[in-house]
Amino acid sequence: MRTRNVVREDLRKTVAKCKNTQSIETILKIAEIYRKVHDNATFEEVSELQWEQRLMINEVMNSTNTKIRNNFKNSRNL
């Protein structure tokens, strides 16, 4: 598992490469939601909408990974 500092550095590099301001704002919003959810001091600040957004982000990321894996497996069986 990667350390927090390594992940932060990767995030900095990714954001530095983004040319679209809207993409950077979206990354920032997602990071803020996850920070609030996983920080005991700010967990109470999480709105119902933010909680639902977090669940949807997780669902999308998991389904995408599963879809890619299944497509790869299926293509190898041809």
Side-chain angles (χ1 to χ4, degrees):
M1 189 152 136
R2 299 180 327 153
T3 66
R4 188 180 333 178
N5 289 337
V6 170
V7 173
R8 284 180 178 161
E9 184 58 31
D10 286 349
L11 185 57
R12 278 188 207 96
K13 289 176 184 175
T14 298
V15 170
K17 292 177 184 177
C18 285
K19 295 184 175 149
N20 184 334
T21 305
Q22 187 174 4
S23 295
I24 297 169
E25 288 177 7
T26 301
I27 292 167
L28 182 59
K29 286 177 187 177
I30 292 169
E32 184 64 16
I33 290 169
Y34 276 77
R35 183 194 62 76
K36 280 184 177 181
V37 167
H38 294 285
D39 184 351
N40 290 337
T42 59
F43 183 76
E44 294 298 322
E45 297 174 18
V46 177
S47 69
E48 187 67 31
L49 175 60
Q50 289 172 324
W51 185 257
E52 290 295 323
Q53 289 170 328
R54 177 189 168 272
L55 294 175
M56 301 242 353
I57 292 165
N58 285 348
E59 185 176 325
V60 167
M61 295 306 292
N62 289 335
S63 69
T64 300
N65 289 336
T66 302
K67 236 186 243 185
I68 290 170
R69 282 191 202 116
N70 287 338
N71 288 342
F72 179 73
K73 285 179 186 176
N74 289 337
S75 68
R76 292 187 72 183
N77 291 332
L78 294 177

